[in-house]
Amino acid sequence: MRKILKFVAPILVLTAGVGSVMALSAAKEAPEKKEEAPRPVSLYVDDVRSENVRLSVRTQGEVRPKTEIDLVPQVSGRIVSISDSFAEGAGFTPNEALIQIEDSDYQLAVTSAEARLAEAKVKLEQELADARIKRKQWQDWVKDGEPTPLALNQPQVAEAQAKLRAAEADLDNAKLNLSRTQIKVPFKGRVLERTAGVGQYVNVGAKLGRVFATDKVEVRLPLTDRQLTELNLPIGFVADKDNAPTVALRASLGGEDHVWQGRIVRTHASVDKQTRLMYAVAEVEDPYDRAADQGMPLAVGLFVSAEIASVVPQQALVMPRDALRSEDKVYVIVDEKLQIRTVNVLSTSAEQVIVTSGVEPGEQVVTSPVRGAHDGMAAVPITRSARNDLDSASR
């Protein structure tokens, strides 16, 4: 019996203790639950500004000559001399003789044409003299009626006059062919390619080389529909002196950055079928001399980046670039509540974003990162000036 009590007694005591604790817990009142309001998030903000802005877009393109032609002869013959200016890369002046074709045959043709002209002049004088004699004879001998043109030698005079004009035309043509033995171009330029040599016989229309003018160069710049809208340029635009957008062309040469100034002179009147882009043409005058940057010309064939500035300013809403989320979303704090807005983006850069709608001037847009943002989230705006004041106080 003792052994049984010694074994059972501890179990009974333990059971009684557990039961007492459970009874006391059941009799105790449950603690009152308090729901804490979510703490507002402090976010940096900047004000939306309404400004009159001139937009700019960036693109790129290749420098091309405005005038580029093949050099071809208009007469046949053997090349007897070539100017030092007619070498690849060399420059030449307007109407400089670049190639001389043998002209002996053409000088002989001029001499022959001069002889025929002199003969035609003599023939005309003879026919005019005969016409005067015949008119005098008619007046002295016949007296009655009207003479026929043949009786007065008029057809012969007309024939002699026509032959004289033909002889003059032949002489002009012979002189023109003689002048064409010197191959010239009417502009200042440079040589791209030379395919002729001294002693070579060339026919009319044979390609002797390729040259381009250096008075102006062009850069064909691709633009999207959105970029055209930003610049307010229509398709088929043609500029005049007052409405030509300016363009800055940039390239790195010899380890240095160079900038050349030009202007947009026109846009294409069609859309490229392959790229679906539209093109604007920038023009730079005197790129090898007056428009050169620190002595560096805007050379043909150079690949450049371009920044085009619009001519007409427009009213828009400006905010920091950090305010833009995704492609067209911004966060606005109104009455310490976060609102997610959709904006119509007009232009963006590394520093700012320009929109036309979605926010109002003076509203506060969030520029700091936000996790788990949603409409109605509690938020406290902190301006940049307030942060600077806190930083100064801590120092």
Side-chain angles (χ1 to χ4, degrees):
M1 190 66 176
R2 277 181 163 184
K3 289 182 179 181
I4 294 174
L5 288 174
K6 188 176 180 180
F7 177 75
V8 173
I11 297 175
L12 292 175
V13 173
L14 182 61
T15 303
V18 173
S20 299
V21 172
M22 292 179 64
L24 291 173
S25 297
K28 187 178 178 181
E29 294 183 0
E32 183 180 354
K33 292 183 179 180
K34 293 183 179 180
E35 293 185 1
E36 292 186 2
R39 295 183 60 185
V41 181
S42 297
L43 301 173
Y44 291 117
V45 296
D46 275 277
D47 291 339
V48 177
R49 307 184 310 275
S50 178
E51 294 182 3
N52 219 14
V53 297
R54 291 181 184 270
L55 301 180
S56 63
V57 301
R58 294 182 179 180
T59 180
Q60 54 193 4
E62 181 184 355
V63 180
R64 299 178 180 179
K66 184 173 183 179
T67 303
E68 182 178 351
I69 62 170
D70 288 331
L71 208 61
V72 297
Q74 293 178 279
V75 294
S76 300
R78 184 173 60 88
I79 296 176
V80 293
S81 67
I82 294 178
S83 170
D84 291 338
S85 300
F86 189 57
E88 292 184 0
F92 53 85
T93 57
N95 296 313
E96 178 182 355
L98 300 177
I99 296 176
Q100 176 66 55
I101 294 176
E102 188 176 18
D103 61 0
S104 301
D105 292 342
Y106 299 99
Q107 288 180 349
L108 292 175
V110 170
T111 302
S112 297
E114 289 174 340
R116 289 193 297 272
L117 177 61
E119 183 181 353
K121 287 181 178 179
V122 171
K123 181 65 176 176
L124 176 60
E125 291 297 328
Q126 290 176 346
E127 295 298 341
L128 288 173
D130 289 346
R132 287 193 295 270
I133 293 172
K134 289 183 178 181
R135 178 173 288 279
K136 180 69 170 138
Q137 289 175 344
W138 180 273
Q139 292 173 348
D140 292 342
W141 298 344
V142 180
K143 297 182 181 179
D144 297 332
E146 287 293 329
T148 63
L150 185 60
L152 298 181
N153 210 44
Q154 291 179 356
Q156 294 86 336
V157 171
E159 180 184 14
Q161 289 174 334
K163 288 183 177 180
L164 176 62
R165 291 193 296 271
E168 291 173 340
D170 288 342
L171 178 58
D172 290 341
N173 185 61
K175 289 181 177 179
L176 182 60
N177 286 335
L178 178 61
S179 68
R180 286 172 174 171
T181 58
Q182 288 189 336
I183 299 178
K184 310 173 182 179
V185 289
F187 52 77
K188 179 182 178 182
R190 289 182 178 264
V191 180
L192 273 178
E193 179 187 7
R194 169 180 158 179
T195 57
V198 176
Q200 178 180 349
Y201 185 89
V202 294
N203 292 312
V204 176
K207 182 178 177 181
L208 306 180
R210 191 164 182 82
V211 298
F212 66 90
T214 56
D215 58 337
K216 294 178 182 178
V217 293
E218 294 182 340
V219 185
R220 189 166 169 257
L221 301 171
L223 296 173
T224 64
D225 179 65
R226 179 174 173 179
Q227 287 175 320
L228 276 178
T229 303
E230 292 178 15
L231 295 174
N232 197 24
L233 287 179
I235 295 177
F237 165 80
V238 177
D240 55 35
K241 63 179 181 180
D242 297 322
N243 68 344
T246 59
V247 55
L249 304 170
R250 292 181 170 83
S252 180
L253 293 171
E256 295 184 1
D257 292 332
H258 295 276
V259 181
W260 301 270
Q261 300 298 324
R263 65 190 191 105
I264 300 297
V265 294
R266 65 184 180 276
T267 60
H268 288 192
S270 61
V271 178
D272 189 280
K273 293 181 179 179
Q274 295 181 340
T275 63
R276 310 313 300 170
L277 295 173
M278 287 151 281
Y279 289 88
V281 178
E283 188 177 278
V284 178
E285 296 186 1
D286 202 5
Y288 283 81
D289 189 5
R290 185 162 44 89
D293 180 59
Q294 302 175 14
M296 182 64 69
L298 181 61
V300 168
L302 187 64
F303 196 78
V304 295
S305 60
E307 184 173 357
I308 308 170
S310 63
V311 174
V312 181
Q314 53 184 303
Q315 199 70 26
L317 301 167
V318 183
M319 64 187 76
R321 179 64 177 81
D322 293 338
L324 188 64
R325 319 284 168 161
S326 183
E327 293 183 355
D328 58 354
K329 297 291 189 294
V330 295
Y331 300 158
V332 181
I333 296 180
V334 179
D335 297 331
E336 297 190 354
K337 298 292 184 183
L338 189 72
Q339 296 180 2
I340 301 177
R341 304 272 189 88
T342 300
V343 293
N344 182 22
V345 179
L346 189 59
S347 176
T348 61
S349 67
E351 296 81 22
Q352 65 183 17
V353 57
I354 301 173
V355 304
T356 57
S357 62
V359 291
E360 297 295 333
E363 286 191 319
Q364 295 180 320
V365 289
V366 177
T367 57
S368 55
V370 185
R371 290 184 179 179
H374 59 273
D375 271 319
M377 186 175 81
V380 176
I382 302 176
T383 61
R384 299 291 175 179
S385 59
R387 182 185 67 175
N388 294 336
D389 293 342
L390 290 173
D391 293 342
S392 299
S394 63
R395 289 196 296 269

